[in-house]
């Protein structure tokens, strides 16, 4: 993700508290109150410019979505998309995924989406990959027992690493596609990266996993 300096981004994020939730730790265990209903909550970790999470929110009004992104200069574009769609079931957090268990309580989340996560190809950076076992520990804590992780990427190396990481962790693989756009899976809401890479002819990998002993 190319980062552009956007000094105005913070003020813009602050001016939309109905979508961008600041100090989200205060809502740990109370996210249903934020949405005003008891619908399942799905999060996207590393939401980027928000095309996926806002598209999903528009498509599934009975599910609550939370997009989590590290950089304010990026999530500010996700805010624009959320404002365009004018959906009530979407919130955005400008936070680090490492803090997930400070933000969400045990069994508070029904699904985790990881889309085109940064591959961090160097071995010494493996712990930064969002499918590393350290992150799988965090997702396990916040997911309900039947909760799932849905993962898409164009990066074969990251996909292979992730399948191995899921398997070593004891996760159950319930769906896998080695060429999503040629499969019958759908509806598939595309992310910004997915559009970019598939337009270049790259294939998209996708998997779904869940924890066995939650
Ligand atoms: N999901 C989007 C897509 O498919 O178009 C963005 C993909 S981009 C390659 C990965 C995004 O994950 C970046 O915007 C990055 O800032 C974000 N990210 C990486 N590590 C993160 C972390 N620990 N917590 C929150 N966001 C993170």
């Amino acid at each position: 993700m190319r980062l552009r300096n956007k000094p105005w981004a913070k003020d813009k994020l602050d001016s939309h508290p109905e979508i961008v939730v600041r100090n989200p730790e205060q809502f740990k265990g109370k996210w249903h109150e934020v949405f005003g209903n008891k619908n399942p909550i799905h999060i996207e970790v590393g939401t980027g410019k928000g095309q996926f999470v806002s598209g999903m929110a528009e498509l599934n009004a009975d599910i609550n979505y939370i997009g989590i992104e590290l950089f304010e200069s990026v999530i500010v574009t996700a805010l624009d998309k959320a404002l365009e769609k004018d959906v009530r079931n979407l919130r955005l957090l400008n936070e680090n995924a490492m803090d997930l268990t400070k933000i969400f309580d045990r069994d508070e989340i029904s699904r985790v989406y990881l889309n085109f996560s940064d591959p961090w190809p160097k071995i010494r950076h493996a712990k930064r990959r969002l499918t590393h076992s350290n992150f799988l520990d965090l997702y396990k804590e916040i997911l309900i027992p039947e909760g799932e992780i849905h993962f898409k990427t164009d990066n074969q190396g990251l996909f292979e690493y992730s399948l191995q990481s899921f398997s070593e962790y004891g996760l159950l693989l319930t769906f896998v596609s080695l060429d999503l756009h040629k499969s019958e899976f759908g509806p598939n809401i595309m992310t910004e990266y997915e559009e970019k890479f598939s337009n270049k002819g790259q294939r998209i990998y996708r998997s779904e996993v869940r924890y066995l002993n939650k």
Side-chain angles (χ1 to χ4, degrees), residues 1 44 46 48 69-71 95-97 115-116 118 191-193:
M1 179 75 61
E44 184 188 16
E69 167 58 47
L70 197 51
F71 293 110
E95 302 291 332
N96 192 326
N115 291 320
F116 299 81
D118 295 322
T191 79
E192 281 87 355
Y193 270 64

Side-chain angles (χ1 to χ4, degrees), residues 115-162:
N115 291 320
F116 299 81
S117 308
D118 295 322
W120 293 109
K122 291 187 179 145
I123 296 207
R124 71 172 188 277
H125 292 148
K127 285 190 178 170
R128 298 183 192 176
R129 297 174 193 153
L130 293 179
T131 50
H132 185 276
S133 59
N134 289 352
F135 282 105
L136 299 181
D137 284 341
L138 303 182
Y139 310 144
K140 184 176 185 184
E141 188 168 325
I142 62 174
L143 277 170
I144 59 171
E146 61 278 18
E148 296 172 346
I149 303 170
H150 291 198
F151 173 53
K152 288 196 276 194
T153 182
D154 64 301
N155 189 301
Q156 186 182 355
L158 180 67
F159 195 66
E160 287 171 1
Y161 164 86
S162 302

